[in-house]
Amino acid sequence: MALQLGDIVPDFTQDSSAGPISFHQWVGDSWVVLFSHPADYTPVCTTELGTVASLKSEFERRNVKVIALSVDSAESHRGWINDINETQNTTVNYPIIADGDRKVSDLYGMIHPNSLNNLTVRSVFIIDPNKKLRLTITYPASTGRNFNEILRVIDSLQLTDNYQVATPANWTDGGDCVVVPSIPTEEARSKFPKGVEEIKPYLRMTPQPNK
Ligand code: BEZ
C-alpha cells in the first residue's frame, strides 16, 4: 500500500553523491525534505536542485535537512552537481541518492509507470524528527516545484506541533492562524493571550503565536 500521512517512513541504506546513507540514522533529530526528480542532466531538474541549494539557510533555520533522489548513479550525480553549481550560481550542499536499483523509489512509490517510464516523478516528502510522514506532493515531470511552498508547509506543521494552531488558505508567515477545533474557545482565550476572534463557534482566529 502507498505511504500515508502519519506512517513511519521506510528506512534504507543507499549510495549517494556523498557516499552511502543509512536514512533513519541520517535523519537524526531533524525534519527532512526528500524529493525525487526524473533524471540527471535535465533542464527543469537543474533549476530545481540549484534553487534548493540556494535556500540552504531557510532550511537550516527550520532544522530541516534536504536530500534528493534519482535513479542515476552517484558518479553521474557528482558530474551533474558541477553543472548545477556552474549554471545556477550556487553550491549543491546536500546529498543526491543514487537509486539505480529503484530500491528507495519502490519503497516510497516514486515511480508512476503510466506517467514516466521507469523514472522517478517529482515527489516531495516532508518527514518529521519522529520519522513520520507529514506531507506528500507529486508533480509531473514538466513542472518545476515551488520550494517556497515547501517552506510554507514546514512553517505550518511546526506551528501546529508547537502551538496547536492550524493555518488558513494561502496563509504566509506572520498571518493570522486558526485555533484547532479540539480547543474550546474559553481555553483558547487563555492559551492565546494575543486574542481570539470567534467568527463562528467552529471558526476562531488568533494572531500567529510566535510572532
Ligand atoms: C527536466 O527536468 O527538464 C525534465 C525531465 C523529464 C521530463 C521533462 C523534463
Side-chain angles (χ1 to χ4, degrees):
M1 192 165 82
L3 273 180
Q4 297 188 320
L5 300 189
D7 289 351
I8 301 291
V9 296
D11 197 12
F12 58 82
T13 299
Q14 187 65 295
D15 200 10
S16 83
S17 56
I21 284 184
S22 290
F23 189 60
H24 279 200
Q25 190 183 27
W26 181 85
V27 172
D29 295 325
S30 298
W31 289 72
V32 166
V33 173
L34 165 64
F35 66 108
S36 59
H37 55 274
D40 294 357
Y41 297 103
T42 49
V44 175
C45 303
T46 299
T47 64
E48 285 194 320
L49 273 81
T51 296
V52 169
S54 71
L55 291 171
K56 175 183 165 62
S57 61
E58 294 297 324
F59 287 113
E60 277 180 353
R61 76 183 175 84
R62 293 166 173 84
N63 185 32
V64 178
K65 290 180 177 173
V66 295
I67 187 163
L69 176 149
S70 80
V71 297
D72 296 301
S73 68
E75 193 185 341
S76 165
H77 289 339
R78 285 191 284 268
W80 182 42
I81 284 170
N82 293 333
D83 279 10
I84 299 169
N85 291 343
E86 178 194 328
T87 63
Q88 307 304 302
N89 195 25
T90 189
T91 303
V92 172
N93 37 38
Y94 53 87
I96 309 175
I97 297 167
D99 199 36
D101 61 4
R102 278 73 167 155
K103 181 169 70 185
V104 182
S105 315
D106 286 341
L107 276 172
Y108 281 73
M110 295 165 168
I111 292 183
H112 299 198
N114 293 331
S115 169
L116 205 56
N117 187 27
N118 233 12
L119 294 176
T120 39
V121 292
R122 294 189 201 283
S123 302
V124 185
F125 301 85
I126 297 179
I127 300 160
D128 72 17
N130 296 318
K131 281 83 177 171
K132 276 194 182 166
L133 181 63
R134 301 294 294 273
L135 165 138
T136 59
I137 323 180
T138 306
Y139 290 69
S142 51
T143 305
R145 285 160 281 203
N146 182 337
F147 288 94
N148 290 322
E149 168 62 3
I150 306 303
L151 290 169
R152 191 188 77 94
V153 176
I154 292 166
D155 285 341
S156 172
L157 289 167
Q158 293 183 346
L159 269 177
T160 303
D161 286 4
N162 295 331
Y163 299 98
Q164 289 185 282
V165 290
T167 55
N170 291 341
W171 171 86
T172 52
D173 190 37
D176 284 352
C177 297
V178 169
V179 177
V180 296
S182 58
I183 302 180
T185 299
E186 279 323 299
E187 186 184 329
R189 292 196 197 285
S190 54
K191 195 173 173 57
F192 303 114
K194 290 179 184 169
V196 172
E197 183 191 4
E198 188 181 79
I199 300 163
K200 292 282 182 189
Y202 60 85
L203 175 59
R204 291 91 36 91
M205 306 298 294
T206 189
Q208 186 172 323
N210 62 344
K211 289 285 167 182

